[in-house]
Amino acid sequence: SFPDSGKICNMLGDKGLLAVLIEELHFAETRPHDAYHAMRCLNAIIGVSSDVKSRAIELGIRNAMDISQNVGHCSHALLARESDIGISMV
C-alpha cells in the first residue's frame, strides 16, 4: 500500500524522489549507468499511478528520456532499452 498522502506529496515535489530520478537522466552522457538505474526506477513508478505519470510529465520527463535514449542508443544498450520502454509509457 502507498504511504499517506503527505509522504506522496514529498515524493512528487520539486525536490522529491521523482524529480531527482528525472534529473539523473540529464547526466546520462557522463553517468550512463546511473541513468540506467534511474530509468528502471522511473519505469516502475510511472507504470503504477497515473498521478505519478502526470507529475513526471510536468517535471520534464519526456525531454530527460529523450536525452537518456540518445545516449543509450549510442553507448549503453541497457539504458537504451529502459528508455525505449519509458518513452512508450508517456
Side-chain angles (χ1 to χ4, degrees):
S1 70
F2 279 109
D4 65 47
S5 60
K7 289 181 182 175
I8 290 175
C9 288
N10 288 338
M11 182 183 88
L12 301 180
D14 291 342
K15 305 279 188 213
L17 176 63
L18 188 62
V20 170
L21 291 171
I22 292 169
E23 183 66 21
E24 191 61 45
L25 300 182
H26 289 277
F27 300 104
E29 192 168 337
T30 56
R31 299 192 311 253
H33 202 66
D34 292 347
Y36 160 68
H37 285 293
M39 196 67 245
R40 287 188 67 202
C41 292
L42 285 164
N43 286 344
I45 61 178
I46 65 174
V48 170
S49 164
S50 60
D51 290 338
V52 173
K53 184 190 298 187
S54 295
R55 182 62 180 141
I57 291 168
E58 290 173 11
L59 291 170
I61 196 170
R62 287 188 172 123
N63 180 56
M65 284 181 172
D66 287 342
I67 293 167
S68 68
Q69 185 185 46
N70 289 336
V71 171
H73 282 286
C74 289
S75 62
H76 198 287
L78 294 173
L79 176 58
R81 183 184 57 158
E82 290 299 324
S83 298
D84 291 343
I85 291 168
I87 287 170
S88 73
M89 293 193 312
V90 297

